[in-house]
Amino acid sequence: MTDKPTVAVLGTGIMGAAMARNLARAGLGVRAWNRTRAKAEPLAADGIRVTGTPAEAVEGADVVLTMLYDGDSVLQAMREAAPALRAGLVWAQCTTAGTELVGDLAAFAREYGLVFYDAPVLGTRQPAEAGQLTVLAAGPEEGRETVTPVFDAVGARTVWTGADGAAGSASRLKLVANSWVLAATAATGEVLALSQALGVDPRDFFDLIEGGPLDMGYLRAKSALVLDGKLSPASFAVATAEKDARLIVEAGERNGVRLDVAAATAERLARAAAQGHADEDMVAAYFASFDEKSGD
């Protein structure tokens, strides 16, 4: 293997496409596959070889990076790639799959002799496009020299959480982080909805908290998307956020913790999706406060 590994990226949605481009910009050889090939085709302009099957993408690669919707999608893609997998191939599993499926994915890796890294990423469209994600990673010391250039190309920081990817320590930390992100997003939508209902100018609220411990750059950034009507293209879509919220609730239930805010957030996101906002930014959960899609 050369100093710059060849990477097969399986899944080229909002995050995967950005990650593939940054890998190519870093000088790594990149192959890309997506279930809907048309979504991957624009990557060819960046020197990325777009393939028709997962097996074609992973053939001869040094690293497989999976960035799909959920754990089941990852497992399906890897099963399709199985004929071309070889023992010793490094697998960086970056999808937010939750804690339950990490064991199944690691078992698949053991079956095929893959070096498995549980490596979900923290960040949305903009940091992904800028190569500024935070990679949460767990996996063996042996093999890190291969996967490190990949993490360095897509992220500004790698946080190692353990030496055993199968233990799911990175995925557990990702769910904790996402629980805060989703709670803050839901609260942002509700404060805007309540302001509208009570005839309060949101700017008066922002002025009230400015510079104090309640002020948040995230609150202001997400509020602006709603107030300026700039919910598309999504940084992180409503439908995907709902999936993550349900993973958080399920993880809590399996460990004896009731997560009322996460559960309510999942329902708000589901209502917003049903109103037609599934592909908009997750702060479009704002609309779930109203009976009508418009929020008027």
Side-chain angles (χ1 to χ4, degrees), residues 23 70 194 276 281:
L23 290 166
D70 59 14
L194 183 62
D281 191 87

Side-chain angles (χ1 to χ4, degrees), residues 1-3 5 28 62-63 88-92 115-119 135-152 158-166 169-170:
M1 190 198 74
T2 64
D3 290 337
L28 283 67
D62 301 301
V63 179
L89 181 64
V90 172
W91 176 15
V115 183
F116 179 72
Y117 290 88
D118 176 31
V135 182
L136 312 177
E141 294 279 353
E142 183 180 355
R144 289 188 187 179
E145 72 279 359
T146 301
V147 80
T148 293
V150 175
F151 293 160
D152 288 348
T158 299
V159 177
W160 287 98
T161 64
D164 182 7
S169 58

